[in-house]
Amino acid sequence: MFDDEARARYLAVLAGGGSMVDAAAAGGITARWASHLASVDAGFAEARRVAKRDGKRARSALRPHGSEGRYVHEKCRCELCTKAAAVARQARRDAAGDVTAGVGGVSLLVAARSSEVFLPAEAA
């Protein structure tokens, strides 16, 4: 079932940046079975560890500097990535609309940061 050829396909997909599920499907097994095999076969566990490392590098290469993905996933804090993340966050906030408008004249942003919230009395 999981012969040398299937094992090679599994490791190739993983090393290429594919997900554990995609790699398992390429090898004709489930991701859970691959984890089990790694727990009982030290040689496979080492090959899997190396393939996962290489896959992480391959995915990293797809995220250029100056992208929010590089800031979030690679923890890059260079000026370009920091700026890209700030711009993307602001765009999401702008798209969500004004969430600080509040209810009854009380800002939800202020209310969320306060331990006590006093709402104005309703007009009778």
mmCIF file of all heavy atoms in Angstrom, residues 57-83:
data_model
loop_
_atom_site.group_PDB
_atom_site.id
_atom_site.type_symbol
_atom_site.label_atom_id
_atom_site.label_comp_id
_atom_site.label_asym_id
_atom_site.label_seq_id
_atom_site.Cartn_x
_atom_site.Cartn_y
_atom_site.Cartn_z
ATOM 1 N N ARG A 57 10.257 26.243 3.685
ATOM 2 C CA ARG A 57 11.100 27.155 2.896
ATOM 3 C C ARG A 57 10.460 27.465 1.549
ATOM 4 O O ARG A 57 10.510 28.596 1.068
ATOM 5 C CB ARG A 57 12.479 26.545 2.690
ATOM 6 C CG ARG A 57 13.315 26.543 3.942
ATOM 7 C CD ARG A 57 14.679 25.954 3.698
ATOM 8 N NE ARG A 57 15.449 25.914 4.928
ATOM 9 C CZ ARG A 57 16.436 25.071 5.143
ATOM 10 N NH1 ARG A 57 16.813 24.221 4.210
ATOM 11 N NH2 ARG A 57 17.086 25.093 6.287
ATOM 12 N N ALA A 58 9.853 26.454 0.937
ATOM 13 C CA ALA A 58 9.204 26.658 -0.359
ATOM 14 C C ALA A 58 8.020 27.615 -0.226
ATOM 15 O O ALA A 58 7.827 28.497 -1.068
ATOM 16 C CB ALA A 58 8.736 25.318 -0.934
ATOM 17 N N ARG A 59 7.221 27.464 0.831
ATOM 18 C CA ARG A 59 6.095 28.373 1.049
ATOM 19 C C ARG A 59 6.587 29.781 1.355
ATOM 20 O O ARG A 59 5.993 30.759 0.928
ATOM 21 C CB ARG A 59 5.192 27.865 2.175
ATOM 22 C CG ARG A 59 4.373 26.651 1.800
ATOM 23 C CD ARG A 59 3.369 26.289 2.867
ATOM 24 N NE ARG A 59 3.950 26.071 4.176
ATOM 25 C CZ ARG A 59 4.507 24.934 4.584
ATOM 26 N NH1 ARG A 59 4.554 23.897 3.772
ATOM 27 N NH2 ARG A 59 5.006 24.826 5.803
ATOM 28 N N SER A 60 7.676 29.874 2.093
ATOM 29 C CA SER A 60 8.247 31.175 2.430
ATOM 30 C C SER A 60 8.703 31.914 1.174
ATOM 31 O O SER A 60 8.559 33.133 1.080
ATOM 32 C CB SER A 60 9.419 30.995 3.386
ATOM 33 O OG SER A 60 10.031 32.225 3.664
ATOM 34 N N ALA A 61 9.238 31.187 0.227
ATOM 35 C CA ALA A 61 9.714 31.806 -1.008
ATOM 36 C C ALA A 61 8.567 32.414 -1.810
ATOM 37 O O ALA A 61 8.778 33.329 -2.607
ATOM 38 C CB ALA A 61 10.450 30.775 -1.858
ATOM 39 N N LEU A 62 7.345 31.932 -1.578
ATOM 40 C CA LEU A 62 6.182 32.465 -2.286
ATOM 41 C C LEU A 62 5.676 33.765 -1.675
ATOM 42 O O LEU A 62 4.837 34.439 -2.254
ATOM 43 C CB LEU A 62 5.051 31.432 -2.281
ATOM 44 C CG LEU A 62 5.342 30.125 -2.997
ATOM 45 C CD1 LEU A 62 4.182 29.159 -2.820
ATOM 46 C CD2 LEU A 62 5.634 30.366 -4.468
ATOM 47 N N ARG A 63 6.179 34.104 -0.484
ATOM 48 C CA ARG A 63 5.757 35.329 0.197
ATOM 49 C C ARG A 63 6.891 36.353 0.115
ATOM 50 O O ARG A 63 7.814 36.321 0.919
ATOM 51 C CB ARG A 63 5.449 35.039 1.665
ATOM 52 C CG ARG A 63 4.302 34.109 1.869
ATOM 53 C CD ARG A 63 4.024 33.953 3.359
ATOM 54 N NE ARG A 63 3.041 32.932 3.585
ATOM 55 C CZ ARG A 63 3.293 31.736 4.101
ATOM 56 N NH1 ARG A 63 4.511 31.421 4.465
ATOM 57 N NH2 ARG A 63 2.327 30.870 4.271
ATOM 58 N N PRO A 64 6.808 37.273 -0.801
ATOM 59 C CA PRO A 64 7.893 38.246 -0.959
ATOM 60 C C PRO A 64 7.892 39.278 0.165
ATOM 61 O O PRO A 64 6.893 39.469 0.855
ATOM 62 C CB PRO A 64 7.571 38.903 -2.293
ATOM 63 C CG PRO A 64 6.083 38.806 -2.398
ATOM 64 C CD PRO A 64 5.729 37.491 -1.746
ATOM 65 N N HIS A 65 9.027 39.928 0.333
ATOM 66 C CA HIS A 65 9.081 41.039 1.280
ATOM 67 C C HIS A 65 8.125 42.121 0.801
ATOM 68 O O HIS A 65 7.947 42.321 -0.395
ATOM 69 C CB HIS A 65 10.501 41.601 1.398
ATOM 70 C CG HIS A 65 11.339 40.825 2.350
ATOM 71 N ND1 HIS A 65 11.190 40.892 3.710
ATOM 72 C CD2 HIS A 65 12.315 39.919 2.131
ATOM 73 C CE1 HIS A 65 12.053 40.091 4.288
ATOM 74 N NE2 HIS A 65 12.753 39.477 3.343
ATOM 75 N N GLY A 66 7.520 42.783 1.753
ATOM 76 C CA GLY A 66 6.549 43.808 1.420
ATOM 77 C C GLY A 66 5.153 43.249 1.312
ATOM 78 O O GLY A 66 4.293 43.830 0.673
ATOM 79 N N SER A 67 4.914 42.082 1.943
ATOM 80 C CA SER A 67 3.582 41.481 1.915
ATOM 81 C C SER A 67 3.108 41.206 3.341
ATOM 82 O O SER A 67 3.904 40.953 4.246
ATOM 83 C CB SER A 67 3.584 40.175 1.118
ATOM 84 O OG SER A 67 4.323 39.184 1.793
ATOM 85 N N GLU A 68 1.798 41.260 3.500
ATOM 86 C CA GLU A 68 1.230 40.971 4.814
ATOM 87 C C GLU A 68 1.502 39.517 5.205
ATOM 88 O O GLU A 68 1.747 39.218 6.378
ATOM 89 C CB GLU A 68 -0.273 41.242 4.813
ATOM 90 C CG GLU A 68 -0.901 41.023 6.172
ATOM 91 C CD GLU A 68 -2.402 41.150 6.177
ATOM 92 O OE1 GLU A 68 -3.022 41.005 5.102
ATOM 93 O OE2 GLU A 68 -2.955 41.381 7.255
ATOM 94 N N GLY A 69 1.473 38.621 4.248
ATOM 95 C CA GLY A 69 1.728 37.212 4.526
ATOM 96 C C GLY A 69 3.110 36.983 5.121
ATOM 97 O O GLY A 69 3.286 36.175 6.024
ATOM 98 N N ARG A 70 4.082 37.694 4.615
ATOM 99 C CA ARG A 70 5.446 37.558 5.141
ATOM 100 C C ARG A 70 5.507 38.082 6.577
ATOM 101 O O ARG A 70 6.167 37.509 7.436
ATOM 102 C CB ARG A 70 6.414 38.333 4.247
ATOM 103 C CG ARG A 70 7.855 38.166 4.585
ATOM 104 C CD ARG A 70 8.417 37.005 3.846
ATOM 105 N NE ARG A 70 9.836 36.890 4.100
ATOM 106 C CZ ARG A 70 10.643 36.210 3.334
ATOM 107 N NH1 ARG A 70 10.185 35.602 2.275
ATOM 108 N NH2 ARG A 70 11.898 36.116 3.630
ATOM 109 N N TYR A 71 4.798 39.172 6.847
ATOM 110 C CA TYR A 71 4.758 39.753 8.194
ATOM 111 C C TYR A 71 4.103 38.779 9.176
ATOM 112 O O TYR A 71 4.620 38.523 10.252
ATOM 113 C CB TYR A 71 3.979 41.070 8.160
ATOM 114 C CG TYR A 71 3.867 41.760 9.499
ATOM 115 C CD1 TYR A 71 4.835 42.665 9.903
ATOM 116 C CD2 TYR A 71 2.796 41.521 10.344
ATOM 117 C CE1 TYR A 71 4.744 43.315 11.126
ATOM 118 C CE2 TYR A 71 2.688 42.159 11.571
ATOM 119 C CZ TYR A 71 3.663 43.050 11.957
ATOM 120 O OH TYR A 71 3.567 43.678 13.180
ATOM 121 N N VAL A 72 2.968 38.210 8.771
ATOM 122 C CA VAL A 72 2.194 37.346 9.662
ATOM 123 C C VAL A 72 2.834 35.970 9.816
ATOM 124 O O VAL A 72 3.058 35.508 10.933
ATOM 125 C CB VAL A 72 0.742 37.205 9.151
ATOM 126 C CG1 VAL A 72 -0.016 36.164 9.948
ATOM 127 C CG2 VAL A 72 0.036 38.543 9.196
ATOM 128 N N HIS A 73 3.120 35.302 8.708
ATOM 129 C CA HIS A 73 3.549 33.904 8.754
ATOM 130 C C HIS A 73 5.041 33.718 8.980
ATOM 131 O O HIS A 73 5.453 32.744 9.600
ATOM 132 C CB HIS A 73 3.125 33.179 7.481
ATOM 133 C CG HIS A 73 1.647 33.159 7.299
ATOM 134 N ND1 HIS A 73 0.816 32.429 8.105
ATOM 135 C CD2 HIS A 73 0.855 33.812 6.428
ATOM 136 C CE1 HIS A 73 -0.431 32.615 7.729
ATOM 137 N NE2 HIS A 73 -0.437 33.451 6.711
ATOM 138 N N GLU A 74 5.836 34.634 8.462
ATOM 139 C CA GLU A 74 7.282 34.501 8.590
ATOM 140 C C GLU A 74 7.848 35.368 9.712
ATOM 141 O O GLU A 74 9.037 35.369 9.959
ATOM 142 C CB GLU A 74 7.968 34.858 7.270
ATOM 143 C CG GLU A 74 7.478 34.073 6.075
ATOM 144 C CD GLU A 74 7.718 32.594 6.208
ATOM 145 O OE1 GLU A 74 8.748 32.191 6.771
ATOM 146 O OE2 GLU A 74 6.861 31.825 5.736
ATOM 147 N N LYS A 75 6.981 36.171 10.330
ATOM 148 C CA LYS A 75 7.377 37.060 11.437
ATOM 149 C C LYS A 75 8.433 38.073 11.008
ATOM 150 O O LYS A 75 9.255 38.501 11.793
ATOM 151 C CB LYS A 75 7.891 36.265 12.649
ATOM 152 C CG LYS A 75 6.978 35.161 13.120
ATOM 153 C CD LYS A 75 5.727 35.697 13.728
ATOM 154 C CE LYS A 75 4.919 34.587 14.366
ATOM 155 N NZ LYS A 75 3.603 34.441 13.866
ATOM 156 N N CYS A 76 8.381 38.461 9.726
ATOM 157 C CA CYS A 76 9.327 39.455 9.226
ATOM 158 C C CYS A 76 8.876 40.833 9.684
ATOM 159 O O CYS A 76 7.720 41.210 9.506
ATOM 160 C CB CYS A 76 9.403 39.413 7.701
ATOM 161 S SG CYS A 76 10.572 40.611 7.029
ATOM 162 N N ARG A 77 9.777 41.598 10.256
ATOM 163 C CA ARG A 77 9.438 42.921 10.750
ATOM 164 C C ARG A 77 10.225 44.017 10.033
ATOM 165 O O ARG A 77 10.427 45.101 10.570
ATOM 166 C CB ARG A 77 9.682 43.013 12.265
ATOM 167 C CG ARG A 77 8.829 42.055 13.099
ATOM 168 C CD ARG A 77 7.342 42.331 12.868
ATOM 169 N NE ARG A 77 6.481 41.529 13.731
ATOM 170 C CZ ARG A 77 5.777 40.480 13.326
ATOM 171 N NH1 ARG A 77 5.845 40.095 12.075
ATOM 172 N NH2 ARG A 77 5.009 39.825 14.167
ATOM 173 N N CYS A 78 10.635 43.733 8.798
ATOM 174 C CA CYS A 78 11.316 44.761 8.023
ATOM 175 C C CYS A 78 10.315 45.879 7.714
ATOM 176 O O CYS A 78 9.100 45.712 7.865
ATOM 177 C CB CYS A 78 11.911 44.180 6.734
ATOM 178 S SG CYS A 78 10.715 43.856 5.420
ATOM 179 N N GLU A 79 10.825 47.016 7.297
ATOM 180 C CA GLU A 79 9.968 48.179 7.055
ATOM 181 C C GLU A 79 8.893 47.896 6.002
ATOM 182 O O GLU A 79 7.732 48.291 6.159
ATOM 183 C CB GLU A 79 10.834 49.361 6.624
ATOM 184 C CG GLU A 79 10.072 50.654 6.483
ATOM 185 C CD GLU A 79 10.970 51.834 6.132
ATOM 186 O OE1 GLU A 79 12.186 51.757 6.369
ATOM 187 O OE2 GLU A 79 10.426 52.808 5.614
ATOM 188 N N LEU A 80 9.261 47.174 4.937
ATOM 189 C CA LEU A 80 8.304 46.878 3.866
ATOM 190 C C LEU A 80 7.156 45.998 4.342
ATOM 191 O O LEU A 80 5.990 46.264 4.066
ATOM 192 C CB LEU A 80 9.022 46.199 2.698
ATOM 193 C CG LEU A 80 9.978 47.044 1.887
ATOM 194 C CD1 LEU A 80 10.728 46.172 0.885
ATOM 195 C CD2 LEU A 80 9.225 48.145 1.168
ATOM 196 N N CYS A 81 7.488 44.945 5.067
ATOM 197 C CA CYS A 81 6.460 44.010 5.540
ATOM 198 C C CYS A 81 5.579 44.651 6.607
ATOM 199 O O CYS A 81 4.363 44.433 6.635
ATOM 200 C CB CYS A 81 7.099 42.724 6.067
ATOM 201 S SG CYS A 81 7.897 41.758 4.763
ATOM 202 N N THR A 82 6.173 45.439 7.488
ATOM 203 C CA THR A 82 5.409 46.124 8.529
ATOM 204 C C THR A 82 4.416 47.087 7.898
ATOM 205 O O THR A 82 3.252 47.148 8.294
ATOM 206 C CB THR A 82 6.353 46.862 9.489
ATOM 207 O OG1 THR A 82 7.250 45.898 10.064
ATOM 208 C CG2 THR A 82 5.597 47.555 10.590
ATOM 209 N N LYS A 83 4.865 47.835 6.895
ATOM 210 C CA LYS A 83 3.991 48.779 6.198
ATOM 211 C C LYS A 83 2.870 48.039 5.473
ATOM 212 O O LYS A 83 1.708 48.449 5.531
ATOM 213 C CB LYS A 83 4.817 49.609 5.211
ATOM 214 C CG LYS A 83 4.034 50.547 4.357
ATOM 215 C CD LYS A 83 3.645 51.775 5.110
ATOM 216 C CE LYS A 83 3.001 52.776 4.144
ATOM 217 N NZ LYS A 83 2.365 53.848 4.821
#
